[in-house]
Amino acid sequence: MAELLDIRNLRIVAPDGAGGEAVIVDDVSFRLERGKVLGLIGESGAGKSTIGLASMAYGRGAVRISGGEILLDGQDLTTLSARSIRQLRGRRVAYVAQSAAAAFNPAHRIGTQVIEAALRHGTMRRDAAMARARALFATLGLPDPDTFGNRFPHQVSGGQLQRAMTAMALCAGPELIVFDEPTTALDVTTQIGVLAAIRRAIRETGTAAIYITHDLAVVAQIADDIMVLRHGRMVETGTARQIVDAPRQDYTRALVSVRHETGVEAEGEGERLLTIDHVTARYGSGGTVLDDVSLSVPRGRTVAVVGESGSGKSTLARVITGLLPPAQGRVQLEGRDLSPALGGRSKADRRRIQLIYQMADTALNPRQTVADIVGRPLTFYEGLRGRARAARVAALLDEIEIPQALAGRYPAELSGGQKQRVAIARALAAQPDLVICDEPTSALDPLVAQGILKLLRRIQRERGTSYLFITHDIATVRAIADAVAVMHRGRIVRSGPRSQALNPPFDDYTARLMNSVPDMRVGWLDEAIAAAGRA
């Protein structure tokens, strides 16, 4: 096939905060043929998104392309005028963002937004653009393709909105699409459908693509070639099969092996700490969100609650913490009933149950330093101030393996993994008996997530802390859980020790959930689609 994109010796810099510039992409080169898919894989900060956006001659904020060439069909994008670049974006090169919910305008119908680029660039008239959009909706497996575009973004699911954004990128007939983590925020059962739809659309339209992700198992299903990046430099590149089956570099081998880790499962039932007894919950006058849920968490153990989006996992956490009083049932701590509402619980009860949230970016106050964030619970629960508080903060930072030098920094000055460690330290500062971990690693790249899980296991061994671990990632469950509860539509459909719950025979829903977890091998997606067709 003919070559479409040729990036040569790309160098990208950004302000370093001290008056100089830091190199964030250093001497990266690759070629991409028409109709082919290149996967960019690496941890946060590796330069994946920066390179993807550079293929559109774009840099976020003060990021600057300082060297190299970006040749699209032989034309160097770094030499184009601003007007020429505007004409290029959306028409010849398009972009699919990680968060479709943030990318769509909530005030406009989906169809209007999907055809916008085609109309602005004059590639087709409105009736032809709408016909093209409907055809793409069908290709992408969206429900009722003829009327789907009449809906507003809030009227469709996350997976459907992600497919609609792919339709928006494809509508004007671009030669290249940059997919920037398009399935990272989706649960596994939704992800498999979106992956299949994206791959089918790429094949049918002949569009070339750059697929950015930190999940090697995902990119292996869609990419022809894969480039592994770290610290802005290329580690290695090769075919998808070679990278997965025979990686040459230690870093790539670590990425391949991280999914295969299995933790040691505790034996026996253990002393019961938390009991959820026949809980039913709903929001306002709406329908039932939790339906007769019963669950227990032993002391010093980890119980994982797994299920797709909307299954009720996070609602269960809200009930346990008292943020959502149940309509029926009760929550007990060591056999004693807790007040249904948070306001009715004593400070001692609130201290004993703490939360670690999915997104540390939004959970940490951006105007407080690390020392202030970690120190606040120490003052609130124990009245510590001054040197006593500073000493405890220092001890907590040591415990979560954060350098003391970071105590004076703000969240924006930390990496994703460091921010999540600070969130863990804040929860530990209250000396809780139970920590509810609500998807704490889902936004992190695999190696950073692995470090967080190892930290949580060590803390559990040393403190005897119990975890209720909410996740949709089965690999995470295998790494940390002692017991598992599978939720579907507000009910627990399967529960038991990890070795029992994650092995057959399965009920229909758990089988579908397990079959949707990407395997680290080329061809898994084809097998999963074929199996789903036979079911």
Side-chain angles (χ1 to χ4, degrees):
M1 290 187 180
E3 186 176 281
L4 174 66
L5 182 67
D6 184 4
I7 289 184
R8 302 175 182 175
N9 309 114
L10 181 64
R11 188 175 189 270
I12 301 176
V13 298
D16 63 3
E21 290 184 323
V23 178
I24 55 176
V25 173
D26 190 7
D27 195 29
V28 169
S29 301
F30 63 85
R31 294 177 177 178
L32 180 61
E33 295 180 352
R34 296 180 185 276
K36 295 291 187 179
V37 179
L38 172 68
L40 298 183
I41 183 84
E43 61 195 67
S44 300
K48 306 184 300 294
S49 295
T50 303
I51 293 170
L53 291 170
S55 68
M56 307 172 66
Y58 180 76
R60 285 184 179 139
V63 167
R64 182 174 64 85
I65 299 170
S66 63
E69 298 174 289
I70 305 168
L71 303 175
L72 183 69
D73 208 11
Q75 185 177 40
D76 190 353
L77 303 189
T78 64
T79 66
L80 296 182
S81 66
R83 182 173 181 273
S84 296
I85 289 172
R86 284 196 300 272
Q87 292 175 338
L88 173 94
R89 294 174 186 156
R91 183 174 64 89
R92 298 188 64 194
V93 184
Y95 179 75
V96 175
Q98 177 177 342
S99 174
F104 274 91
N105 188 325
H108 294 283
R109 296 184 190 276
I110 290 171
T112 302
Q113 298 181 69
V114 166
I115 68 172
E116 182 179 7
L119 298 183
R120 281 184 173 271
H121 289 295
T123 58
M124 58 186 77
R125 298 171 62 89
R126 176 174 288 274
D127 55 350
M130 285 305 301
R132 164 82 168 164
R134 288 191 291 269
L136 287 169
F137 293 156
T139 297
L140 290 162
L142 288 164
D144 304 315
D146 290 339
T147 59
F148 181 83
N150 297 333
R151 304 182 193 183
F152 288 92
H154 71 275
Q155 294 175 313
V156 303
S157 71
Q160 290 171 350
L161 201 58
Q162 204 71 33
R163 298 187 207 193
M165 187 160 55
T166 301
M168 182 163 57
L170 285 165
C171 192
E175 299 162 73
L176 172 66
I177 296 182
V178 178
F179 291 94
D180 196 352
E181 303 266 16
T183 65
T184 297
L186 305 177
D187 60 69
V188 289
T189 52
T190 304
Q191 175 180 256
I192 188 174
V194 173
L195 274 176
I198 288 174
R199 193 180 65 174
R200 183 170 59 249
I202 289 172
R203 287 176 175 176
E204 292 185 7
T205 59
T207 306
I210 294 174
Y211 196 99
I212 297 165
T213 182
H214 60 241
D215 192 332
L216 185 53
V218 166
V219 78
Q221 310 312 316
I222 203 165
D224 298 291
D225 299 295
I226 296 174
M227 175 181 284
V228 182
L229 295 158
R230 191 182 191 195
H231 305 319
R233 296 185 64 89
M234 185 191 76
V235 176
E236 71 174 289
T237 186
T239 65
R241 188 172 297 279
Q242 178 264 304
I243 293 293
V244 171
D245 294 344
R248 294 185 293 269
Q249 301 298 319
D250 290 342
Y251 177 71
T252 310
R253 284 193 283 269
L255 288 177
V256 171
S257 65
V258 71
R259 273 182 167 260
H260 302 304
E261 183 173 321
T262 300
V264 177
E265 179 184 324
E267 297 180 356
E269 294 186 1
E271 178 190 354
R272 186 173 296 187
L273 174 68
L274 176 77
T275 303
I276 301 160
D277 187 22
H278 297 288
V279 163
T280 295
R282 57 182 64 93
Y283 291 103
S285 58
T288 299
V289 183
L290 294 179
D291 186 5
D292 194 30
V293 170
S294 294
L295 181 70
S296 64
V297 180
R299 185 177 294 279
R301 305 284 181 85
T302 299
V303 175
V305 179
V306 300
E308 59 196 344
S309 299
S311 62
K313 305 186 302 294
S314 293
T315 299
L316 179 61
R318 292 175 64 83
V319 169
I320 295 169
T321 55
L323 295 173
L324 177 67
Q328 296 175 11
R330 58 183 179 171
V331 177
Q332 294 182 316
L333 197 64
E334 292 184 324
R336 179 175 56 84
D337 285 2
L338 293 176
S339 171
L342 181 63
R345 297 185 185 180
S346 66
K347 182 182 285 190
D349 284 340
R350 282 180 278 170
R351 178 195 64 76
R352 297 183 70 185
I353 300 176
Q354 295 293 309
L355 269 164
I356 300 171
Y357 298 91
Q358 177 177 353
M359 298 299 294
D361 281 325
T362 55
L364 302 180
N365 190 327
R367 296 187 177 184
Q368 292 183 347
T369 65
V370 169
D372 291 333
I373 291 167
V374 177
R376 189 172 184 275
L378 297 172
T379 300
F380 181 76
Y381 288 114
E382 300 183 39
L384 295 184
R385 301 182 187 277
R387 291 182 179 178
R389 177 171 127 159
R392 282 284 296 279
V393 167
L396 283 162
L397 294 184
D398 285 341
E399 187 174 8
I400 62 163
E401 300 164 10
I402 285 284
Q404 297 292 328
L406 300 187
R409 293 194 183 181
Y410 292 89
E413 299 174 293
L414 305 177
S415 70
Q418 288 171 335
K419 280 183 275 196
Q420 199 60 282
R421 286 173 184 264
V422 171
I424 293 170
R426 180 176 62 182
L428 294 177
Q431 300 187 61
D433 297 304
L434 172 70
V435 177
I436 300 173
C437 305
D438 193 355
E439 303 268 15
T441 60
S442 64
L444 304 175
D445 63 75
L447 291 178
V448 174
Q450 182 185 48
I452 294 294
L453 294 179
K454 286 181 177 178
L455 172 65
L456 289 171
R457 287 198 298 266
R458 178 175 61 75
I459 289 168
Q460 186 173 64
R461 289 195 303 270
E462 294 174 356
R463 290 185 173 222
T465 309
S466 299
Y467 298 135
L468 184 72
F469 207 100
I470 295 169
T471 183
H472 61 247
D473 186 353
I474 301 299
T476 297
V477 175
R478 289 194 175 104
I480 198 167
D482 298 300
V484 179
V486 180
M487 291 196 71
H488 181 50
R489 295 180 179 175
R491 298 181 66 90
I492 292 178
V493 297
R494 184 180 180 88
S495 64
R498 184 189 69 209
S499 55
Q500 173 186 317
L502 297 187
N503 285 296
F506 295 123
D507 57 277
D508 290 346
Y509 175 72
T510 306
R512 182 162 67 90
L513 193 69
M514 298 298 293
N515 290 336
S516 298
V517 179
D519 276 356
M520 189 71 77
R521 57 188 174 85
V522 175
W524 166 84
L525 183 60
D526 294 312
E527 295 173 14
I529 293 170
R534 291 192 298 268

